[in-house]
Amino acid sequence: FFSLGPPLELEDHEDHKSRLPSPGHDPQEQQPAEGIESCIGNTPLIEIRSLSKATGRTILAKAEFLNGVGNSPKDRVALNMIREAERNGLLVPHRGDTIYEGTVGSTGISLAALARARGYKAHICMPDDQALEKSDLLHHLGATVERVAVAPITSPDHFVNLARRRAYDHAGNAADGSRGFFANQFESEANWHAHLTATGPEIWKQTGGHLDAFVAGAGTGGTISGVARYLKMEANAGAVRIVLADPQGSGLYNKIKHGVMYSPTEREGTRRRQQVDSMVEGIGINRITDNFEAGRDLIDDAVKVTDGQACRMARWLVENDGIFVGSSSSVNCVAAVMTAMSLPEGSRVVTILCDSGTRHLSKFWKRIKEMGLEDEDATNLFVELGV
Ligand code: PMP
């Protein structure tokens, strides 16, 4: 097993002070930014020092919770979907248009805030098993929120199908000339394109092209597909391993490993199950979306992460790095460690920190407390991960 070693040395006070940004130094920095949209993107790539130390590899994470509108990578996606709809005349500011979306929360939050900023209304359909923080936030952002019972994608009442139907009904019936626009993050190209044109290039630049693996979970699949396509096809970094981090209950792991969503040994009943049996929110799915399909061929491997491992990792990150994240970020970090251990010492692995733990207090973090993990030694987790 490893030791974290002595605490990091604090930087020399004067030296540290001299490197703080000095207001007024760079005339560019004095320019006021135009609207909330300018708080999106260019997120820092941070080293998770405790994980680097534990693995003998470098673990880097894109701090996507720092996107400044909805505090997740979905800010990039929401803005891109809205901009494309505006370019195509599907949304016109201040015409009374409404953006409809089916989302487990993050995309809805970004859309709802950006809708306000750009002269639209937002109508969000989401499953009722997601953390209440998200629907409360949507309400306060002024969105209409429909929390619906969990249903299979084949049901007309699945949250995505409901959002599509609401948009269609609006489009056909508005006497005031307003339109309904179904954002459609699961199938829209504007989703993975946001990561192809921004998240991917940012990672490439921030690592100086020096990375050995990129690890991410998939909800819509937009992040992993967009980043993978940039790295492998635009930057010609064919050797970078693209690894899917999949929570328990999701079918994507089997799709990547065996080409089918479920192993043939599983019961027929399980085969038809649509919901992901995990407390993790935002990643893991039992169907192939267009966004996942866009990068599927570029994914080299997949790792399966249990809820227990995700909970233990979340605690570890707080305790050792002061990083307080939600469940999908935690799954990504578990998978990043597993991937790192399969690579030679000194390798560099990049993953994503999707959102803050503050959005998961009532579910994920409550569960961590209930499981009595707050005081638990994380040794077992790292042994389990092959460290
Ligand atoms: N983390 C969270 C918290 C999310 O809401 C999502 C999107 N559903 C993801 C990760 C996964 O991102 P993507 O949709 O790009 O696969």
Side-chain angles (χ1 to χ4, degrees):
F1 201 60
F2 61 91
S3 140
L4 275 182
L8 289 163
E9 276 179 29
L10 289 175
E11 287 153 313
D12 174 77
H13 182 65
E14 285 308 312
D15 175 39
H16 177 63
K17 222 167 75 180
S18 69
R19 283 190 281 112
L20 287 174
S22 50
H25 178 68
D26 179 353
Q28 286 287 344
E29 284 176 17
Q30 292 177 28
Q31 301 297 317
E34 214 182 288
I36 190 82
E37 293 90 335
S38 53
C39 299
I40 298 176
N42 290 315
T43 53
L45 183 72
I46 60 171
E47 179 172 1
I48 306 184
R49 291 184 298 227
S50 72
L51 297 183
S52 294
K53 236 169 196 168
T55 59
R57 283 78 175 157
T58 303
I59 311 287
L60 302 166
K62 193 88 170 121
E64 285 297 291
F65 58 85
L66 286 177
N67 280 295
V69 177
N71 312 114
S72 85
K74 294 303 185 173
D75 276 356
R76 302 172 184 271
V77 173
L79 183 59
N80 211 32
M81 292 192 299
I82 291 175
R83 279 187 174 152
E84 194 181 280
E86 288 172 344
R87 274 196 297 273
N88 296 332
L90 299 173
L91 283 173
V92 175
H94 307 291
R95 184 172 62 178
D97 293 357
T98 302
I99 300 168
Y100 293 84
E101 185 61 308
T103 160
V104 296
S106 310
T107 305
I109 291 162
S110 299
L111 281 172
L114 287 170
R116 286 285 157 189
R118 295 173 85 87
Y120 308 113
K121 295 175 202 154
H123 186 126
I124 303 301
C125 302
M126 61 187 293
D128 65 1
D129 63 344
Q130 301 297 297
L132 277 172
E133 285 87 333
K134 297 184 196 170
S135 47
D136 283 352
L137 184 52
L138 282 164
H139 170 78
H140 292 301
L141 287 168
T144 302
V145 187
E146 284 189 86
R147 278 171 71 94
V148 295
V150 172
I153 188 69
T154 45
S155 158
D157 296 325
H158 181 276
F159 62 99
V160 172
N161 296 331
L162 183 66
R164 184 187 292 109
R165 192 163 77 240
R166 297 277 188 251
Y168 181 81
D169 289 348
H170 182 156
N173 293 323
D176 61 0
S178 67
R179 296 280 173 81
F181 168 67
F182 177 45
N184 200 11
Q185 59 162 337
F186 287 92
E187 319 304 336
S188 166
E189 279 201 340
N191 175 350
W192 67 267
H193 280 186
H195 298 293
L196 173 78
T197 56
T199 321
E202 285 172 33
I203 290 171
W204 187 247
K205 205 167 153 200
Q206 286 167 314
T207 55
H210 178 26
L211 74 160
D212 301 289
F214 174 72
V215 180
T220 64
T223 310
I224 196 162
S225 289
V227 172
R229 280 183 76 130
Y230 178 80
L231 294 175
K232 295 218 172 193
M233 295 169 84
E234 306 272 328
N236 283 324
V240 176
R241 280 184 80 69
I242 307 295
V243 181
L244 172 79
D246 214 29
Q248 65 183 50
S250 169
L252 298 178
Y253 171 88
N254 275 348
K255 185 72 186 171
I256 296 300
K257 294 294 253 191
H258 310 298
V260 289
M261 292 295 273
Y262 295 102
S263 80
T265 53
E266 275 180 286
R267 285 178 297 117
E268 186 61 25
T270 319
R271 194 184 284 262
R272 286 206 209 95
R273 194 185 58 205
Q274 300 283 340
Q275 281 318 119
V276 174
D277 187 13
S278 165
M279 79 168 98
V280 172
E281 296 186 22
I283 56 173
I285 189 165
N286 282 328
R287 63 191 161 94
I288 302 296
T289 62
D290 286 355
N291 271 272
F292 189 75
E293 192 57 35
R296 184 165 65 91
D297 285 353
L298 305 176
I299 299 175
D300 298 294
D301 201 2
V303 292
K304 175 81 56 206
V305 177
T306 66
D307 282 4
Q309 289 170 336
C311 289
R312 287 176 172 85
M313 177 58 77
R315 276 294 309 145
W316 170 271
L317 293 173
V318 174
E319 198 134 311
N320 296 283
D321 301 272
I323 296 174
F324 183 57
V325 289
S327 48
S328 63
S329 310
S330 199
V331 167
N332 283 349
C333 288
V334 171
V337 168
M338 289 159 96
T339 303
M341 295 315 292
S342 72
L343 294 169
E345 255 180 68
S347 300
R348 279 154 67 98
V349 176
V350 175
T351 192
I352 305 269
L353 296 178
C354 309
D355 65 359
S356 162
T358 53
R359 200 158 281 170
H360 300 265
L361 294 176
S362 69
K363 213 174 133 189
F364 183 61
W365 281 96
K366 190 168 170 215
R367 187 86 185 101
I368 288 172
K369 191 172 177 184
E370 285 167 358
M371 285 167 74
L373 294 181
E374 288 183 332
D375 303 315
E376 202 191 77
D377 179 352
T379 308
N380 289 342
L381 169 65
F382 284 89
V383 169
E384 224 175 284
L385 302 184
V387 177

